[in-house]
Amino acid sequence: MKIETLAVHAGAGADPVTGSIAPPIHLSTTFEHGPATEEIHGYIYVRDKNPTQDRLEAAMSALEGGESALAFSSGMGATAAFFQSLVPGSHVILPEDVYVHVRDLASKYFANWQIECSTVDTQSPAAIAAAMRPNTKAIWGETPSNPQMKIMDIAEAAKIAHGGGAALVVDNTFATPALQRPLELGADVAMHSTTKYCGGHSDVQGGCLVFRQRAPLYEKVLDARTILGAVCSPFNSWLILRGLRTLPCRMEKHSANAMAVAKALSQVKAIERVFYPGLTSHPGHEIAAAQMKQFGGMMSILVRGGWEEAVRAVSRVKVFRAATSLGGVESLIEHRASAEGKGSTSPKNLLRLSIGLEHPDDLIGDLLQALG
Ligand SMILES: *Cc1c(COP(=O)(O)O)cnc(C)c1O
């Protein structure tokens, strides 16, 4: 089945009790069991699993083409559970331009968990291969990356990972399964901050890991989620599920709008660089074109000048909103170095743009006046 159809129907079976077409939200934390705790209705306690979260997991698995999925309370909850499921003494590879709090997770917690870590430029398969060690258990990729929009060749990274007995995890938050399907390209796990495009309306936090196979790796992460507790609440599961229904539709429009904005900004003197993988000038364009259906709604720009000129542009927008996060219907703009704070690796004049569903002419006009 095509992804548009899956997005509407996966995990959307009618409620067996009432026949309701919209899924029910089961808020119950506990479910009736037998006298010796026998599972009667398929559920025992909300932290283990619950019916609304099951529907979300079924939908995420179908969209990514995986065998199973685990929903979490946030993208970071999903990320932390993955790393906590590794045995002490494991080595992992992270991208240089990785989501800022994954970098924090590595610097603040990996030592406690006895995880060794190398940071490499994942745009280069040779650099990834060179960082492999006998105890490398995971390569963590992020493509396109946040915020510099760097592209990793997923199929190449998968070959390197599997050649060394490691798993490849791809943070697919920016692309979403509507535009890029890492598991089909050989990745073992697709990770999402469902807070972003999957939810799609800036009103719910969640995370998800989708597994190519229901294998020991899945079992270990399930155990980590159950014990450590970063589950998705029934209400949040329901909201994310609702967002997924329109995901392919929204991603088409986000992509078309972003392409129009990127092309227009490429002509602007006040801008030094536009990082959007849809532009042929982007260093990762060819790989992105091969592994993505369209190029998504995220981009970043370098404003000519420095920190001050970039912040000044943000202070002048009228349609864009100055806010962090991404993937909602409204366009957002953010000066990434100030958002990331101490230890930020983003250029001082970089602005990250989440292109929403407004008319592109209004977005372009707003940016031109803000940069003028
Ligand atoms: C937001 C984000 C995360 C973290 O997700 P939360 O839901 O905020 O915990 C991870 N990776 C990327 C690429 C993100 O944009």
Side-chain angles (χ1 to χ4, degrees):
M1 241 186 259
K2 305 276 193 218
I3 195 141
E4 291 80 357
T5 314
L6 289 173
V8 171
H9 291 288
D15 173 33
V17 178
T18 63
S20 74
I21 295 298
I25 308 175
H26 290 286
L27 293 175
S28 189
T29 55
T30 187
F31 299 83
E32 188 182 40
H33 62 49
T37 328
E38 299 91 345
E39 197 176 280
I40 308 173
H41 305 288
Y43 299 95
I44 295 281
Y45 183 60
V46 64
R47 177 157 38 74
D48 305 327
K49 57 178 174 158
N50 71 80
T52 321
Q53 182 178 269
D54 274 2
R55 284 179 180 265
L56 171 61
E57 291 175 349
M60 288 298 295
S61 299
L63 289 176
E64 283 286 8
E67 281 185 6
S68 354
L70 292 171
F72 290 85
S73 54
S74 67
M76 286 310 298
T79 305
F82 175 81
F83 287 114
Q84 289 188 302
S85 76
L86 300 178
V87 291
S90 297
H91 169 253
V92 303
I93 295 173
L94 296 183
E96 274 169 2
D97 188 46
V98 71
Y99 174 66
V100 60
H101 297 299
V102 177
R103 193 154 50 236
D104 286 345
L105 185 78
S107 66
K108 293 184 182 169
Y109 293 97
F110 277 9
N112 293 354
W113 304 337
Q114 295 174 45
I115 295 176
E116 300 164 20
C117 164
S118 307
T119 305
V120 309
D121 179 359
T122 46
Q123 293 172 114
S124 156
I128 302 174
M132 292 291 287
R133 297 182 193 166
N135 58 337
T136 304
K137 292 288 186 271
I139 299 174
W140 187 269
E142 192 182 299
T143 183
S145 70
N146 181 358
Q148 298 190 50
M149 305 301 296
K150 293 185 176 172
I151 301 296
M152 180 186 80
D153 186 325
I154 298 172
E156 284 299 316
K159 275 187 221 152
I160 297 164
H162 300 156
L168 174 66
V169 185
V170 175
D171 183 336
N172 203 26
T173 299
F174 272 25
T176 84
L179 305 182
Q180 174 171 275
R181 310 233 298 169
L183 306 183
E184 284 175 0
L185 296 164
D188 302 278
V189 185
M191 177 267 169
H192 286 277
S193 167
T194 50
T195 315
K196 315 293 170 55
Y197 288 106
C198 293
H201 296 76
S202 307
D203 56 8
V204 61
Q205 180 138 63
C208 195
L209 297 172
V210 188
F211 297 79
R212 186 155 48 86
Q213 292 175 311
R214 204 182 171 96
L217 181 62
Y218 164 84
E219 301 295 340
K220 283 186 201 146
V221 183
L222 170 60
D223 191 62
R225 183 184 71 175
T226 307
I227 308 280
L228 300 167
V231 289
C232 200
S233 75
F235 189 63
N236 285 4
S237 298
W238 186 88
L239 276 171
I240 296 160
L241 197 54
R242 182 188 170 119
L244 288 180
R245 302 301 176 217
T246 55
L247 179 70
C249 228
R250 285 184 285 110
M251 292 315 291
E252 267 183 37
K253 181 71 174 153
H254 281 296
S255 299
N257 279 359
M259 186 66 105
V261 171
K263 282 187 175 157
L265 295 186
S266 303
Q267 311 297 323
V268 175
K269 282 210 188 66
I271 296 176
E272 200 177 289
R273 288 287 298 275
V274 177
F275 297 118
Y276 184 65
L279 297 176
T280 49
S281 60
H282 189 283
H285 173 71
E286 274 178 36
I287 294 161
Q291 68 190 16
M292 299 175 80
K293 193 165 152 194
Q294 288 175 289
F295 303 97
M298 294 302 299
M299 72 181 67
S300 52
I301 59 175
L302 299 182
V303 177
R304 207 169 286 286
W307 182 291
E308 270 173 37
E309 287 75 8
V311 168
R312 179 171 164 270
V314 177
S315 74
R316 292 167 54 136
V317 293
K318 296 193 170 88
V319 179
F320 276 79
R321 313 287 294 273
T324 198
S325 200
L326 57 111
V329 297
E330 64 289 306
S331 291
L332 302 179
I333 188 165
E334 181 172 58
H335 180 240
R336 215 40 207 160
S338 42
E340 291 177 351
K342 210 167 137 257
S344 165
T345 50
S346 296
K348 305 296 171 244
N349 56 341
L350 181 142
L351 300 181
R352 189 184 72 186
L353 276 55
S354 172
I355 304 299
L357 301 181
E358 302 93 338
H359 195 285
D361 292 351
D362 292 327
L363 299 177
I364 293 165
D366 190 35
L367 291 169
L368 293 183
Q369 69 77 25
L371 288 154

